[in-house]
Amino acid sequence: MVRYLITRLGQALVVVLLVTVIAFLILHLLPGGAARATLGKEATLEQLAAFNHEMGYDRPWIQQYGMFMQRLLQGDLGYSYQLNQSVSEAIMQRLPKTMVLSLLSTLLAIVVAIPLGVIQAVRRNRWPDYVITSLSLLAYATPIFFLGLMLIILFSQVWPVLPPEAPQGFTVAEVLSDPAGLVLPTVTLAIVTIAVYSRYVRSSMVDNLNENYVRTARSKGLSERRVVLRHTLRNGLFPVITLLGMYLPALFSGALVVESLFNYPGMGQLFWQAALKRDFPILLGVTLIISIATVVGALLADLLYAAVDPRVRLRRSAS
Amino acid sequence: MTTLSTAANAQPDTGAPTPGEAAEAPLRGMWRQGLIVFCENRLALVGLGLFVLLAGFCFLGPLFYHTDQVHTDLTQVHLAPGEQGHPLGTDGVGYDQLGRMMLGGQTSIVVGLAAGLLATALGTIWGAVAGFVGGWVDAAMMRVVDAMMSIPSLFLFMLLAAIVTPSVPMLILIIGAFAWLGPARLVRGEALTLRSREYVQAMRAMGGTGARAVRRHIVPNAIGTVIVNATFQVADAILYVAYLSFLGLGVPPPAANWGGMLSDGLADAYSGHWWLLYPPGIAIILIVLACNFIGDGLRDAFEVRLRRR
């Protein structure tokens, strides 16, 4: 277990390091880069050169990366001239709100997707399976902003029970004080997640229902209910833990669209507005933080998986 | 399991091959069997039909239904369907909506196909090299994939779209350049397992060359996975174009795509111009569903060990 832990941690570190390199390369080596973006189209070549010199952008890129990493390790993600605010401050204001949205929708998705997947596996190739499969294919094929708009039309216009806009607020507490406003964004984000998770639970349950231990459990006379819920479900749910980690990038991408649609003041909206205004320090900072969150999430999921399923840590540390 | 499947592939149940064809028999057997399974899959055929229908509408439609999709006409804005000879009405700047659906569909389908293929090609090469070479090259190449995968794709696309000016070739490049990670992982895994299979090792022990292993065993076995994944890549690329357009980084007018039309339609949702919202929305859903149905059908056709499910 300790060896597995160390290898996995080392891998995660390498990945985070590579992420910083990729983000750095994308933003600093493309023509026009940060100087043009900060000073605008009217800036003269002299002004651009002066800015580049002041920021150190005229030095060899290896040196630039070193400076960038040095600042990064001190928690300095740069300064946004457009927001007139340091990047880390802007992110710290938004990050908790995105976490709330992602967490709520993931919880909702798990609670709904597991029973759905189990029903599909038990009633395999019969109508409940077909109905749920069709619905999840449909959910998967619908652009998430179209889905969100359908929900807004249904629940704010046709049957006005929920507000069409997400709660506006500076802090998490303010956002949470308006739970009605959180319902539509959370559900929109959860529906696509449910579609992915339930298919995964289904196939994992189908795999396990064909195992020998299930036959043993049945042949010793256990009720089908007990076989499914106590024996198969436990094993069938292990892979879902990995999925939680693997699905994080897609979840954050979804949050980006949902936050823009519902005007929810999170990281996605911050990133979106920065992209439209070409606010590169914010773009780079958000990309880095979101990616690190993804790596850490995947790492936690893997470790959790190894902790609950002894087969994983034995097999992996052996190889 | 794969050993069983190749045994089934190697002996096509449709008559014994003549000596001249014997060399090509396993491959042809696989394609023929796959075709049969694919045609038995009703959903896959529906998907294929749907795709052909939508593509025909977009690419052949303008030959029969002529509209001006370049010049705006501000005297003809927001006409309801049926008014003044516009079957689907007009949009906010006077473009005929039915004609615009055809034009927008062309972009969506072209970008989807091209980006999907580009991603598949890049991913296959990357994954195959990593899987075959192995060792530290493999480890390094896969860490790069891990790192890029942990940057959520939409953030990556937007980052690039903010730097370059979006156009159709640019969209294809941006999406293709970052969507190859999935196929790369898939092909690398496939190459690793296939390389160590008993039948490949047996062939090597009998004096077969590495090239023969690649040509006769690894490519035929991996190609199914690659093709299946390519269809899903196309579906994803079409959705990505839609997302980029929604986020304001799509192709600028007078060019159009279904995603951009749908996002423009969002603003009309409250003013009752439903014909600007639902046609592009439904078209996107249909084409993505079609690609996924085709992909599922191909998976059943190629991946023999999944057939019994």
Side-chain angles (χ1 to χ4, degrees), chain B residues 9 12 14 21 23-34:
Chain B
N9 282 342
T14 46
E21 285 173 354
E24 295 300 317
L27 203 58
R28 282 202 20 210
M30 182 184 93
W31 293 111
R32 188 182 296 176
Q33 255 193 348

Side-chain angles (χ1 to χ4, degrees), chain B residues 137-215:
Chain B
V137 176
D138 175 35
M141 285 174 89
M142 292 329 281
R143 287 301 86 73
V144 171
V145 172
D146 286 351
M148 287 178 74
M149 265 198 164
S150 44
I151 307 177
S153 44
L154 214 47
F155 285 80
L156 212 48
F157 294 150
M158 279 190 76
L159 204 59
L160 284 176
I163 293 168
V164 300
T165 320
S167 62
V168 168
M170 222 22 126
L171 275 183
I172 294 173
L173 273 182
I174 291 178
I175 296 176
F178 288 98
W180 56 272
L181 306 165
R185 261 195 190 165
L186 210 66
V187 171
R188 177 214 173 233
E190 200 79 352
L192 271 185
T193 22
L194 288 172
R195 199 177 57 166
S196 59
R197 286 272 176 233
E198 290 87 349
Y199 60 89
V200 177
Q201 287 179 340
M203 190 274 297
R204 295 297 292 272
M206 285 186 279
T209 58
R212 188 183 160 87
V214 171
R215 201 177 64 239

Side-chain angles (χ1 to χ4, degrees), chain A residues 11 14-15 18-19 22 26-27 30 125 137-138 140-146 149-150 152-153 157 164 199 206-207 210 249 252-253 256-257 260-261 268 271-272 275-276 278 280 283-284 286-287 290-291 294-295, chain B residues 43 140 143-144 146-156 158-164 178 236 239 242-243 246-249 259 262-263 265-266 269-270 277-278 281-282 284-285 288-289 292-293 296 299 309:
Chain A
Q11 273 186 355
V14 172
V15 168
L18 278 172
V19 166
I22 294 168
I26 289 179
L27 280 189
L30 279 158
N125 296 335
L137 278 173
L138 193 65
Y140 187 77
T142 312
I144 196 167
F145 58 92
F146 189 48
L149 188 77
M150 295 292 100
I152 292 178
I153 289 178
Q157 284 201 313
R199 281 185 77 73
V206 167
D207 279 347
N210 288 334
F252 287 137
S253 285
L256 172 59
V257 177
S260 315
L261 178 68
F271 186 82
W272 177 46
L276 295 181
R278 312 269 193 274
F280 287 100
L283 289 177
L284 185 59
V286 173
T287 307
I290 287 279
S291 312
T294 308
V295 176
Chain B
L43 218 47
R143 287 301 86 73
V144 171
D146 286 351
M148 287 178 74
M149 265 198 164
S150 44
I151 307 177
S153 44
L154 214 47
F155 285 80
L156 212 48
M158 279 190 76
L159 204 59
L160 284 176
I163 293 168
V164 300
F178 288 98
D236 282 352
L239 280 177
Y243 288 139
F246 168 71
L247 296 166
L249 298 160
L262 177 59
S263 345
L266 294 190
Y270 299 106
L277 177 66
Y278 294 103
I282 292 169
I284 292 178
I285 296 177
V288 174
L289 270 181
N292 284 328
F293 285 162
D296 278 340
R299 175 154 53 197
R309 296 278 159 79

Side-chain angles (χ1 to χ4, degrees), chain A residues 39-88:
Chain A
L39 300 179
K41 283 188 179 133
E42 309 293 314
T44 60
L45 284 177
E46 288 78 34
Q47 285 171 323
L48 290 180
F51 179 86
N52 280 337
H53 184 74
E54 194 187 331
M55 304 302 285
Y57 293 156
D58 52 352
R59 302 192 201 173
W61 71 266
I62 242 317
Q63 214 176 343
Q64 281 189 49
Y65 177 73
M67 286 162 42
F68 165 73
M69 280 307 285
Q70 205 175 4
R71 284 198 301 264
L72 188 64
L73 288 176
Q74 291 163 354
D76 178 7
L77 285 166
Y79 192 83
S80 161
Y81 291 94
Q82 301 195 4
L83 292 178
N84 209 5
Q85 196 179 25
S86 83
V87 174
S88 42

Side-chain angles (χ1 to χ4, degrees), chain A residues 15 21 39 58 67 134 163 202 236 302 317:
Chain A
V15 168
V21 174
L39 300 179
D58 52 352
M67 286 162 42
S134 317
R202 176 190 183 273
D302 269 10
S317 46

